């Protein structure tokens, strides 16, 4: 049984679902920004994703975006409340943000690659961390305790972004608690525990957030 040392879930809104669109990074960043701004409501994922895509090579909304582009978008354009531009299941035509919305919530993202211990330190300070990582078949089906464990025969399926919102341990290992954007049916109501060796193997980038 994993014993949480830090768990930020009570401070956060319910997990959402990105559907079939490549918007995982925008969802993870939005959840971090909601926590930072203490707004008590969803911020517009669509607005953040639009401005991040505009800064991404090719500007293709069907191809995702990068942490660097999301960082620039959150600092320069920020995010209004979700009600100003709700998330779209399918991109509409024309795809364009509303004009003159307020208030705008900005944040500064520091892109890098924190160690497992450094991520835990951020979480101890009540600061969730965006994780950009490769995911494998095991990630899709956390076990009955919500754990994602490495497996020698596991197959990598691609890149994904989640938000680290806690850490803990059982008798043998350390874990990060992550918030996904695949809806509440995945894992433990949309969350899962990634064992440290899984994180160490598949983590690619991290993002810390601070006031813009």
């Amino acid at each position: 049984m994993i014993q949480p040392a830090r768990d930020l879930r009570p401070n956060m809104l319910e997990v959402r679902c990105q559907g079939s669109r490549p918007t995982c990074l925008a969802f993870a960043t939005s959840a971090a920004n909601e926590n930072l701004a203490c707004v008590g409501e969803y911020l517009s994922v669509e607005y953040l994703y639009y401005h991040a895509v505009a800064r991404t090579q090719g500007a293709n909304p069907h191809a995702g975006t990068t942490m660097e582009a999301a960082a620039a978008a959150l600092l320069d354009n920020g995010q209004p409340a979700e009600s100003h531009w709700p998330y779209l299941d399918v991109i509409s035509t024309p795809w364009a943000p509303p004009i003159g919305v307020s208030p705008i919530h900005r944040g500064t993202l520091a892109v890098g690659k924190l160690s497992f211990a450094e991520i835990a330190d951020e979480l101890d300070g009540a600061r969730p961390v965006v994780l950009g990582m490769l995911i494998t078949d095991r990630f899709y089906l956390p076990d009955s305790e919500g754990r994602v464990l490495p497996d020698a025969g596991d197959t990598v399926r691609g890149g994904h972004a989640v938000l680290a919102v806690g850490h803990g341990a059982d008798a043998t290992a350390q874990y990060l608690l992550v918030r996904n954007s695949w809806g509440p049916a995945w894992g433990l109501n949309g969350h899962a525990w990634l064992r440290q060796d899984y994180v160490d193997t598949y983590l690619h980038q991290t993002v810390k957030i601070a006031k813009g």
Side-chain angles (χ1 to χ4, degrees):
M1 180 72 70
I2 299 171
Q3 298 299 320
R6 187 62 162 161
D7 186 347
L8 303 181
R9 284 178 292 183
N11 303 330
M12 309 192 75
L13 300 170
E14 294 296 316
V15 168
R16 304 173 69 189
C17 185
Q18 69 185 76
S20 60
R21 297 176 60 197
T23 52
C24 55
L25 178 56
F27 269 92
T29 304
S30 291
N33 198 26
E34 289 156 7
N35 180 75
L36 178 72
C38 298
V39 289
E41 62 179 328
Y42 293 115
L43 298 180
S44 176
V45 171
E46 200 69 42
Y47 192 90
L48 175 62
Y49 187 64
Y50 175 90
H51 288 290
V53 166
R55 290 169 166 81
T56 305
Q57 185 175 5
N60 181 356
H62 304 292
T65 186
T66 67
M67 287 187 167
E68 291 77 11
L74 190 62
L75 181 61
D76 295 343
N77 304 102
Q79 289 179 279
E82 170 79 6
S83 57
H84 288 295
W85 197 11
Y87 186 66
L88 303 171
D89 293 329
V90 178
I91 292 178
S92 59
T93 303
W95 187 49
I99 298 172
V101 295
S102 65
I104 292 289
H105 301 278
R106 292 180 170 83
T108 299
L109 300 182
V111 182
K113 187 177 180 182
L114 300 176
S115 68
F116 187 97
E118 289 169 332
I119 297 169
D121 285 343
E122 289 296 309
L123 294 167
D124 286 339
R127 297 180 297 272
V129 178
V130 179
L131 310 180
M133 58 194 308
L134 297 174
I135 58 172
T136 66
D137 286 337
R138 293 294 297 269
F139 184 89
Y140 287 84
L141 293 171
D143 69 15
S144 60
E145 295 183 38
R147 300 177 303 174
V148 176
L149 312 176
D151 186 296
D154 214 359
T155 301
V156 173
R157 294 300 179 184
H160 189 49
V162 294
L163 186 66
V165 296
H167 68 96
D170 62 15
T172 62
Q174 301 284 326
Y175 295 81
L176 286 182
L177 178 65
V178 299
R179 172 193 176 100
N180 202 355
S181 50
W182 292 352
W186 180 83
L188 303 173
N189 197 30
H191 299 79
W193 293 99
L194 307 187
R195 202 167 74 185
Q196 182 173 358
D197 48 359
Y198 191 94
V199 175
D200 291 344
T201 300
Y202 296 112
L203 182 64
H204 177 62
Q205 281 182 304
T206 59
V207 174
K208 297 191 297 182
I209 188 169
K211 287 286 188 182

